[in-house]
């Protein structure tokens, strides 16, 4: 795995502050190759992907962190899923009939009444979810508002995305420890000098030296992140069963088959009449046709 698909943890011994750096290249290029995203939406999705890579480092259980931005404008949803197995996937939904300007900002894309949703889904257990109104005109500012509301922890986040790479940097006060306000201001002031180009194209070692060479943090071994999609024909079968035989049978009776696309990897799962009859354990298509006639 490339050094440019990694998450790196670090901590300051002189201050109660922890940090994370993430950079994804091949993973991001794989995601954007599956669907033609408008530039402004691609940029927002890339920033959220970097954020998901950062925030999922806090997963203490076997499961998935789902980070969503939901809107009512041309952009309907950004979704990033990051797992405790160090895999990620991401997708966006938008009104494809509307032209999206390359420089459109996030607030304009989402429209009014947009929300940020963070869900922790344990592999075995009940999910936990937090929902807050969107505050801020960028993914980074939105997340910092969320951290201030939900965790009451001072947090600084920087995110960047272009066609080939996404990057992120997170600094956060350690819980239940006193932090001198001047020390926090000093660290975040240094972090704010980091440019988007540096975040996208410098590895963790160079970023941290560039910012904090006078008070260098202790850096831990990097963790590799990979793209992985959890879709499967079996999961689509379960979804069709939940829809019910009458609805699925009617669709196949009319079209000859039913195809379900995965939003994340663009994989297509097609079920014809034989497949659907086997799935429901009866000639459901014929039953629907007879009912119609």
């Amino acid at each position: 795995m490339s050094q440019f698909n990694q998450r790196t943890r670090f901590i300051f011994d002189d201050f109660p502050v922890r940090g994370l750096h993430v950079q994804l290249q091949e993973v991001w290029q794989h995601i954007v190759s599956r669907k033609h995203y408008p530039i402004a939406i691609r940029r927002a999705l890339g920033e959220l992907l970097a954020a998901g890579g950062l925030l999922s480092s806090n997963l203490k259980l076997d499961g998935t962190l789902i980070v969503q931005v939901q809107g009512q404008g041309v952009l309907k949803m950004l979704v990033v899923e990051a797992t405790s197995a160090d895999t990620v996937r991401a997708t966006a939904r938008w009104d494809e009939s509307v032209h999206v300007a390359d420089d459109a900002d996030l607030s304009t894309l989402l429209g009014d009444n947009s929300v940020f949703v963070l869900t922790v889904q344990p592999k075995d257990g009940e999910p936990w979810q937090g929902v807050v109104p969107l505050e801020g005109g960028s993914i980074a500012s939105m997340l910092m508002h969320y951290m201030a509301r939900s965790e009451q922890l001072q947090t600084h986040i920087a995110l960047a995305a272009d066609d080939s790479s996404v990057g992120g940097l997170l600094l956060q006060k350690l819980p239940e420890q006193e932090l001198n306000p001047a020390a926090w201001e000093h660290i975040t002031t240094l972090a704010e000098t980091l440019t988007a180009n540096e975040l996208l194209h410098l590895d963790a070692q160079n970023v941290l030296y560039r910012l904090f060479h006078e008070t260098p943090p202790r850096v831990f071994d990097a963790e590799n992140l990979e793209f992985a999609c959890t879709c499967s024909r079996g999961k689509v079968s379960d979804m069709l069963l939940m829809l019910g035989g009458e609805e699925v049978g009617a669709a196949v009776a009319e079209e000859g088959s039913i195809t379900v696309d995965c939003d994340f990897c663009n994989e297509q799962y097609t079920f014809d009449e034989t497949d659907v009859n086997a799935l429901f354990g009866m000639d459901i298509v014929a039953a629907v046709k007879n009912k119609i006639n």
Side-chain angles (χ1 to χ4, degrees), residues 230-253:
T230 56
C231 72
S232 68
R233 190 172 181 86
K235 289 183 178 180
V236 176
S237 296
D238 291 341
M239 183 193 72
L240 294 178
L241 286 170
M242 286 192 296
L243 286 175
E246 185 169 343
E247 183 173 345
V248 174
V252 174

Side-chain angles (χ1 to χ4, degrees), residues 24 28 31 44-53 56 64-69 77-83 87-92 117 119 264:
L24 302 173
W28 174 234
I31 289 170
L45 181 63
E47 291 177 359
L48 193 67
L49 174 65
S56 62
T64 302
L65 174 75
I66 305 168
V67 186
Q68 298 180 61
V69 178
M77 183 179 292
L78 301 171
V79 186
V80 170
E81 294 185 7
T83 73
T87 66
V88 294
R89 63 178 189 165
T91 191
V117 184
T119 307
F264 289 93

Side-chain angles (χ1 to χ4, degrees), residues 96-275:
E96 298 185 37
S97 68
V98 177
H99 172 72
V100 178
D102 293 350
D103 60 351
D105 61 57
L106 185 63
S107 297
T108 300
L109 291 172
L110 290 168
D112 297 330
N113 302 316
S114 52
V115 296
F116 170 69
V117 184
L118 189 146
T119 307
V120 176
Q121 176 66 70
K123 186 175 181 180
D124 300 306
E126 294 298 316
W128 173 91
Q129 187 173 81
V131 182
V132 298
L134 183 80
E135 295 181 65
S138 69
I139 298 293
S141 60
M142 173 195 69
L143 289 173
M144 286 189 281
H145 281 296
Y146 176 82
M147 290 294 181
R149 278 181 174 231
S150 65
E151 300 188 20
Q152 288 81 50
L153 289 176
Q154 291 171 290
T155 306
H156 173 84
I157 298 174
L159 304 169
D162 64 11
D163 291 347
S164 61
S165 181
V166 303
L169 180 75
L170 179 147
L171 299 169
Q172 190 171 65
K173 174 187 173 295
L174 293 175
E176 301 178 1
Q177 295 195 37
E178 291 296 324
L179 174 61
N180 186 314
W184 176 252
E185 183 179 0
H186 173 70
I187 291 174
T188 55
T189 298
L190 292 174
E192 286 168 357
T193 67
L194 185 65
T195 68
N197 187 63
E198 290 171 328
L199 196 53
L200 291 170
H201 302 296
L202 294 182
D203 61 17
Q205 180 179 352
N206 282 296
V207 165
L208 296 179
Y209 179 80
R210 149 85 171 77
L211 296 176
F212 308 120
H213 58 274
E214 293 182 353
T215 54
R218 180 155 41 102
V219 182
F220 299 93
D221 291 340
E223 303 160 331
N224 290 327
L225 298 178
E226 299 180 348
F227 172 85
C229 193
T230 56
C231 72
S232 68
R233 190 172 181 86
K235 289 183 178 180
V236 176
S237 296
D238 291 341
M239 183 193 72
L240 294 178
L241 286 170
M242 286 192 296
L243 286 175
E246 185 169 343
E247 183 173 345
V248 174
V252 174
E254 182 177 347
E255 301 293 337
S257 64
I258 187 169
T259 298
V260 177
D261 297 346
C262 174
D263 279 344
F264 289 93
C265 69
N266 216 29
E267 186 72 32
Q268 294 186 325
Y269 298 93
T270 299
F271 293 74
D272 60 17
E273 183 171 344
T274 301
D275 297 326

Side-chain angles (χ1 to χ4, degrees), residues 245-246 249-250 253 273 277 282-293:
E246 185 169 343
E273 183 171 344
N277 289 339
M282 59 179 290
D283 194 346
I284 192 69
V285 178
V288 170
K289 288 179 178 178
N290 291 334
K291 185 177 180 179
I292 295 173
N293 295 331

